[in-house]
Amino acid sequence: MSSSTEEGRTTRPIIVVKIGSSSVVGSDGAIDSASLSKLAAEVAACRNDGSAVVVVTSGAIAAGLPQLGLRSGQVRDAAVLRAASAVGQTSLMRAFEVALGAEGLLGGQVLLAPTDFMLRRRYLKSRGTLHALLELGVVPIINENDAIADDEIRFGDNDRLAALVAHLVEAKKLVLLTDTAGLFTADPRLDASASLIEEIAEIDQTLEDAAGGARSAQSRGGMASKLAAAKIATWSGVETVIAFAGRTNVVLDAVAGVPGVGTTFRARDQRLSARKLWIGFALPAAGRVLVDDGARHALVDHHRSLLPAGITGVVGKFDADDAVEIADGAGVVFAKAMVRWSSTEIELNRGHKTSEVPDHLTDEVVHRDDLVLLPR
Ligand code: GLU
């Protein structure tokens, strides 16, 4: 057992390692035990080096479908996919138990849902469980609770889940293992001159456009979802590395920051709160609120709340508590926020002074605690 702080949090640096379906399950649909053994050996080496390790794994659905005589990529029925995950998750944990056991390690399954990050009480409970597992020397093995996942609200891919877990446990590093060496200047399959981008200081729109949306039949991720995850993690103050799962010592080297191990995304100095992280990056925008220059200035430079007087327009239909984009007069989206008014209430009262709006509405259309400024 390691030393811990009063709250039971381990004092060792925590590394979150995410492994995708294509590394966990072979093209024949069987769990790739060699790949899991390699990961387990790396987890053991990392722990011997003084880190605590959390694993986020995919592969439940990919492993479950063939056991039910079904093929990956062909099933669209959400209930069948949920059922397949229930079957596959069991096999996955059995395989992890064997692989970790060979290293003298014990794994513990934790299945998470988005509400575990949205609701403060559940957030604290999940964090407490993960810290207790680490403190007991167990390797937490996390996946989305696919069997009962709500199709309307789900992580969608485990890259994002891993990034939120990295925030939850205040990880030192997030390592996203995948089937390419990292992020390239162009698609290396199409362009021979493509080279690995070793370090990225800030994820911007150009980079996101370049990442496109390559996905394989088995996994939901792709470079776009890895970038989105890296954004969540770096905005949580967690350095992120995307690297090739098959590389020798990939986890150890990523933790040590060995040059060329993959693509490293530098962490931001400021760590967003879980609530802001959720609003900024996990909730899809249901519409857009347009504001004048004065409101933009108040939000960006003075960190104020958004009042109806500065609103010039609204796009889309949404309810109170939905996430929206905030755009300026030139149409540039500069923030993401959770609104306290519906689109209809905004449309009816925009441009008005706070004293003129009906009593049942809050003064702020967006409270400053619910507003996330995006990089310029
Ligand atoms: N949670 C899904 C599974 O285990 C995978 C999601 C993903 O591919 O990122 O099957």
Side-chain angles (χ1 to χ4, degrees):
M1 200 182 285
S2 68
S3 55
S4 67
T5 60
E6 276 168 38
E7 300 86 38
R9 185 195 193 287
T10 176
T11 50
R12 291 178 295 163
I14 301 173
I15 311 300
V16 175
V17 181
K18 184 259 170 175
I19 185 154
S21 299
S22 59
S23 307
V24 175
V25 179
S27 47
D28 57 352
I31 293 180
D32 186 341
S33 50
S35 171
L36 290 197
S37 298
K38 175 185 182 300
L39 178 66
E42 295 221 34
V43 169
C46 247
R47 287 167 51 105
N48 287 340
D49 248 22
S51 300
V53 185
V54 175
V55 172
V56 176
T57 186
S58 301
I61 296 172
L65 285 171
Q67 295 185 64
L68 298 169
L70 300 166
R71 286 188 44 195
S72 211
Q74 286 182 343
V75 181
R76 294 274 169 265
D77 184 331
V80 174
L81 289 171
R82 290 200 297 272
S85 81
V87 174
Q89 182 66 27
T90 317
S91 323
L92 202 54
M93 283 315 293
R94 204 180 314 127
F96 264 106
E97 193 173 5
V98 171
L100 289 170
E103 301 293 333
L105 298 174
L106 194 60
Q109 168 184 277
V110 181
L111 300 177
L112 294 172
T115 43
D116 296 320
F117 294 88
M118 282 149 88
L119 304 175
R120 182 90 189 136
R121 207 168 50 86
R122 298 185 65 141
Y123 182 86
L124 295 175
K125 183 81 36 102
S126 319
R127 187 168 71 183
T129 305
L130 290 175
H131 284 315
L133 285 168
L134 293 175
E135 197 42 29
L136 290 163
V138 177
V139 182
I141 310 289
I142 299 177
N143 196 357
E144 177 163 8
N145 196 352
D146 291 313
I148 53 160
D150 182 333
D151 295 327
E152 298 292 313
I153 334 164
R154 58 180 308 161
F155 299 110
D157 66 71
N158 277 10
D159 296 318
R160 191 195 304 235
L161 170 61
L164 292 166
V165 166
H167 180 278
L168 182 72
V169 298
E170 292 181 43
K172 179 174 172 239
K173 217 162 243 194
L174 168 65
V175 184
L176 297 172
L177 297 176
T178 182
D179 47 13
T180 62
L183 200 63
F184 286 80
T185 48
D187 186 338
R189 291 167 301 186
L190 307 173
D191 185 345
S193 68
S195 61
L196 180 72
I197 306 174
E198 289 198 23
E199 187 166 293
I200 290 169
E202 178 93 71
I203 300 164
D204 58 19
Q205 192 61 51
T206 326
L207 203 58
E208 284 172 338
D209 292 345
R215 283 154 190 255
S216 73
Q218 279 187 335
S219 58
R220 291 161 182 266
M223 231 2 121
S225 95
K226 295 216 165 29
L227 264 195
K231 199 160 168 181
I232 293 175
T234 53
W235 280 61
S236 306
V238 181
E239 189 166 282
T240 303
V241 183
I242 298 178
F244 178 47
R247 186 185 193 276
T248 311
N249 291 334
V250 64
V251 181
L252 269 183
D253 287 356
V255 173
V258 169
V261 63
T263 303
T264 300
F265 300 79
R266 269 199 246 133
R268 295 186 128 227
D269 297 338
Q270 276 186 332
R271 175 184 145 90
L272 279 192
S273 69
R275 181 175 176 81
K276 287 205 177 193
L277 203 63
W278 187 258
I279 293 169
F281 305 115
L283 287 180
R288 189 175 283 191
V289 173
L290 313 175
V291 303
D292 62 21
D293 287 349
R296 183 195 159 115
H297 181 60
L299 298 180
V300 174
D301 302 317
H302 298 291
H303 304 286
R304 298 254 168 79
S305 296
L306 178 63
L307 303 177
I311 300 180
T312 55
V314 51
V315 181
K317 284 258 164 273
F318 49 82
D319 294 318
D321 293 339
D322 274 345
V324 296
E325 292 173 329
I326 312 281
D328 62 16
V332 176
V333 175
F334 65 91
K336 184 108 175 276
M338 187 186 271
V339 276
R340 298 202 168 177
W341 296 14
S342 70
S343 50
T344 314
E345 288 159 348
I346 298 177
E347 193 51 58
L348 283 173
N349 296 286
R350 67 184 172 84
H352 293 183
K353 289 202 204 98
T354 306
S355 58
E356 294 164 5
V357 305
D359 286 347
H360 72 275
L361 294 174
T362 51
D363 286 354
E364 310 90 2
V365 176
V366 170
H367 191 275
R368 59 198 237 165
D369 290 347
D370 296 337
L371 183 103
V372 182
L373 296 173
L374 302 172
R376 285 171 228 202

